[in-house]
Amino acid sequence: EHRRIASPGRGTPLRYTSEMSARSIRFTLIGLRGKTHAVVREALRLEFPGAVVLDASSIQDAMLQDSFGVEVLVLARPTGSDAAKAAGATDEIGLPRWALVILGEDLLDQPFAAIPPEQWDAPSLPRVFHTAVAQHQLARENVRLRGDLLSLSRRLFHDLRTPAGCILTTSELVKEALMAESPAHAPLIQPILDSADDLIKLVNRISFVVKAS
């Protein structure tokens, strides 16, 4: 099962699995005051019934919280350094910790899109939160896949390159021995040398591409 989520400004909807119930989501609010605080809480109450909603005084305060299922951090008019710190935070297994929602103006020299004040209303905010959660899940999956690729690269490098290196070294020794005792047969070893060398080069190229990606 999947619930379809419309992404703001795009025609193609995002999706997240039904396992991600409202009760598995925790929203932490930082810097929200007065009417904005009330509007955000009301939007969360209506759209995510059963979700945990907390207020925190700072990013550091939010970092002290225990890990939860899906964590959403809502920042109102943060500084660039606070936004960068929140975006770079990871959980105990090294994955991005928070789906980040920034309320305010776009931050100079920062790659974060902020939600302008005219969209701080009950109809717009649920779509913003749904999209943030879906994009966060995709970002976490991307990090997982990159980790899997790096593990595959290391195994490929070790499990193929090492035996190929042994074959190449042994073949060179056999060729030297044949050159001394039976020079006419020495060329028979050359295809083995060439194949082992090609295999090592291929493994090196694959490993380089995986690491670069």
Side-chain angles (χ1 to χ4, degrees):
E1 284 182 51
H2 289 82
R3 180 172 181 177
R4 300 180 71 80
I5 307 167
S7 176
R10 300 189 180 187
T12 304
L14 295 170
R15 302 188 299 174
Y16 68 89
T17 62
S18 57
E19 296 175 357
M20 194 189 306
S21 67
R23 295 183 184 278
S24 69
I25 304 177
R26 180 174 68 196
F27 294 86
T28 301
L29 315 180
I30 299 178
L32 278 68
R33 300 288 185 271
K35 181 181 177 180
T36 302
H37 184 269
V39 169
V40 169
R41 276 194 167 266
E42 180 64 11
L44 294 177
R45 184 185 69 81
L46 295 174
E47 192 67 20
F48 300 91
V52 177
V53 183
L54 303 174
D55 291 287
S57 60
S58 64
I59 301 292
Q60 289 79 2
D61 186 25
M63 286 182 172
L64 295 177
Q65 298 172 354
D66 292 334
S67 295
F68 203 72
V70 177
E71 299 186 78
V72 184
L73 190 67
V74 184
L75 302 176
R77 295 190 172 91
T79 63
S81 61
D82 278 348
K85 185 183 297 183
T90 57
D91 60 16
E92 65 274 4
I93 59 174
L95 298 178
R97 178 168 183 179
W98 289 306
L100 190 59
V101 175
I102 297 177
L103 304 179
E105 294 72 27
D106 286 339
L107 300 169
L108 295 176
D109 302 322
Q110 295 290 344
F112 310 116
I115 309 305
E118 58 267 25
Q119 294 183 23
W120 299 359
D121 53 62
S124 300
L125 287 175
R127 185 171 66 251
V128 169
F129 293 137
H130 277 307
T131 300
V133 169
Q135 291 177 340
H136 176 62
Q137 294 299 101
L138 291 175
R140 286 173 63 88
E141 187 62 24
N142 181 54
V143 173
R144 286 193 191 97
L145 290 175
R146 289 180 62 188
D148 291 343
L149 281 174
L150 288 175
S151 296
L152 175 62
S153 172
R154 286 191 289 267
R155 292 195 61 180
L156 182 68
F157 192 82
H158 179 271
D159 294 349
L160 289 181
R161 192 181 188 282
T162 301
C166 292
I167 293 172
L168 183 63
T169 301
T170 303
S171 299
E172 289 173 344
L173 293 174
V174 172
K175 184 178 181 180
E176 290 178 5
L178 287 175
M179 288 294 292
E181 298 183 9
S182 181
H185 294 113
L188 297 175
I189 302 297
Q190 193 59 45
I192 300 176
L193 291 170
D194 294 340
S195 296
D197 186 57
D198 288 343
L199 179 58
I200 290 174
K201 290 177 180 177
L202 176 61
V203 171
N204 287 340
R205 285 198 298 269
I206 294 174
S207 180
F208 175 79
V209 171
V210 171
K211 290 178 181 178
S213 64

